[in-house]
Amino acid sequence: MEVTLLGTGDTTGTPTVDCDCETCERAHDPGPELRERLRERGVDPSEGVERSRFSVYVRNEETGESLLVDASPDFRHQFLTQDVGLPDAAIVTHVHFDHLDGLGNAYRLFDDLPVYAADETDPVTGESVAEGIRSRYDYLDTVSVHPQTPHEPFTVAGLEVTLVPVEHPPLLCYGLRIEEPESGAVLSISGDTCYEIPDRSKAALSGADLALVEGIVHEEACEFHPKGGAHHDEDGVPRTFGTKHMTLPGARDFADDIDAESYRIVHTAHYVPADRAFADDIAVDGECFSL
Ligand SMILES: [Zn+2]
Ligand SMILES: [Zn+2]
Ligand SMILES: [Zn+2]
């Protein structure tokens, strides 16, 4: 299984439009030390470093098929920048803009793009993620929606995929377990979520070769959230920012809880101070992994 991180940022991305904060400035111009570390991570730093809106490309080397996890609004830029072909299918974790709105790119690029999503009715919206996609993209014949039941594995692009319920209030959202049956390689993706999720979900995400765990901000940022932080560790450090995302320490604990062989933090915002924003365990666009 080949995993390419197409988009590793939050909903505004880094750099953020019209922002001159130190983190965005560093993204535009990483400087010699960060450039060198990016090269060691296999990322070309010549145009700066980027965290565009979230998306992951998974290639099944056994069958040559590929799968897109989430349809980023940065779809076009990501596919022009990273060395990958168009996917055979897509999965959408939830209906927030930064994970869904790239589906409009299916127009004239695909004959058919099967999109897999959960079939549970969201009490807030009155529709499932699958129904939400169908209603928003009913004008695009190239998008076909395939509803799936969470916790029940299904096969797509020759990969065994399980939708795993996580906590991203007020919307229903899902993490993913993706297993390549020949090699047994496993990729786990937390999805957008707070730190505490049902035990069954943590078990389903456990034991991955690579885990992509969301961590949106540093822990001190909770002081500025109207709801503060939650799910504190024994030293009082908040692992959840507000109610629906993890802090960086929360993401690191989450990766540890699910016994991931390796991990990267994804969905990270430009609010993280520049001296911490480019730590080696926080993903940047273009990182590739062979599982
Ligand atoms: Zn900024
Ligand atoms: Zn979200
Ligand atoms: Zn998001």
Side-chain angles (χ1 to χ4, degrees):
M1 196 193 303
E2 285 271 334
V3 179
T4 303
L5 307 187
L6 298 180
T8 57
D10 70 330
T11 197
T12 69
T14 302
T16 290
V17 172
D18 201 27
C19 183
D20 60 1
C21 80
E22 241 182 272
T23 300
C24 289
E25 296 282 306
R26 182 78 64 86
H28 284 298
D29 180 9
E33 187 268 338
L34 178 53
R35 275 208 171 84
E36 186 51 37
R37 279 199 286 123
L38 291 166
R39 273 191 211 99
E40 281 166 15
R41 290 162 70 177
V43 174
D44 174 9
S46 53
E47 302 290 322
V49 54
E50 193 162 12
R51 293 191 173 122
S52 61
R53 275 70 69 87
F54 185 75
S55 188
V56 178
Y57 186 90
V58 183
R59 187 166 178 278
N60 180 345
E61 289 163 300
E62 298 293 327
T63 67
E65 294 165 283
S66 59
L67 176 64
L68 186 69
V69 176
D70 282 338
S72 170
D74 296 310
F75 181 109
R76 178 175 179 276
H77 173 64
Q78 291 171 347
F79 278 85
L80 288 174
T81 309
Q82 309 302 339
D83 187 22
V84 294
L86 288 172
D88 294 286
I91 297 179
V92 171
T93 57
H94 66 302
V95 296
H96 273 154
F97 158 79
D98 48 327
H99 302 258
L100 173 66
D101 277 27
L103 274 188
N105 288 282
Y107 184 59
R108 289 191 187 154
L109 283 188
F110 295 87
D111 294 326
D112 176 41
L113 178 63
V115 179
Y116 294 77
D119 65 358
E120 289 177 314
T121 303
D122 190 323
V124 172
T125 62
E127 56 184 15
S128 66
V129 177
E131 287 166 336
I133 298 166
R134 193 172 276 149
S135 62
R136 284 171 179 80
Y137 289 96
D138 64 341
Y139 69 95
L140 271 188
D141 294 340
T142 46
V143 170
S144 62
V145 182
H146 300 261
Q148 301 294 325
T149 302
H151 282 304
E152 289 182 13
F154 58 96
T155 300
V156 54
L159 301 163
E160 189 179 276
V161 178
T162 311
L163 287 160
V164 179
V166 292
E167 295 289 334
H168 190 49
L171 290 183
L172 289 186
C173 180
Y174 301 86
L176 293 167
R177 180 188 179 88
I178 300 175
E179 183 161 353
E180 202 275 283
E182 293 295 317
S183 63
V186 173
L187 168 68
S188 283
I189 301 176
S190 73
D192 284 14
T193 183
C194 72
Y195 172 76
E196 280 195 11
I197 63 170
D199 289 345
R200 188 182 180 197
S201 294
K202 271 208 171 155
L205 296 171
S206 288
D209 298 282
L210 174 68
L212 302 176
V213 181
E214 85 115 282
I216 198 160
V217 287
H218 52 306
E219 59 274 33
E220 296 92 329
C222 294
E223 293 165 25
F224 305 103
H225 193 293
K227 292 189 173 153
H231 307 139
H232 297 78
D233 68 13
E234 58 267 25
D235 298 322
V237 176
R239 292 181 286 202
T240 289
F241 173 66
T243 57
K244 57 177 143 187
H245 290 287
M246 281 188 258
T247 60
L248 297 175
R252 289 177 180 122
D253 282 354
F254 190 100
D256 191 45
D257 295 346
I258 62 172
D259 288 322
E261 184 74 27
S262 63
Y263 74 96
R264 283 288 184 279
I265 300 173
V266 294
H267 208 279
T268 305
H270 69 128
Y271 302 117
V272 179
D275 59 348
R276 287 192 266 170
F278 302 101
D280 289 341
D281 65 351
I282 308 179
V284 296
D285 291 8
E287 281 190 276
C288 295
F289 301 87
S290 241
L291 311 185

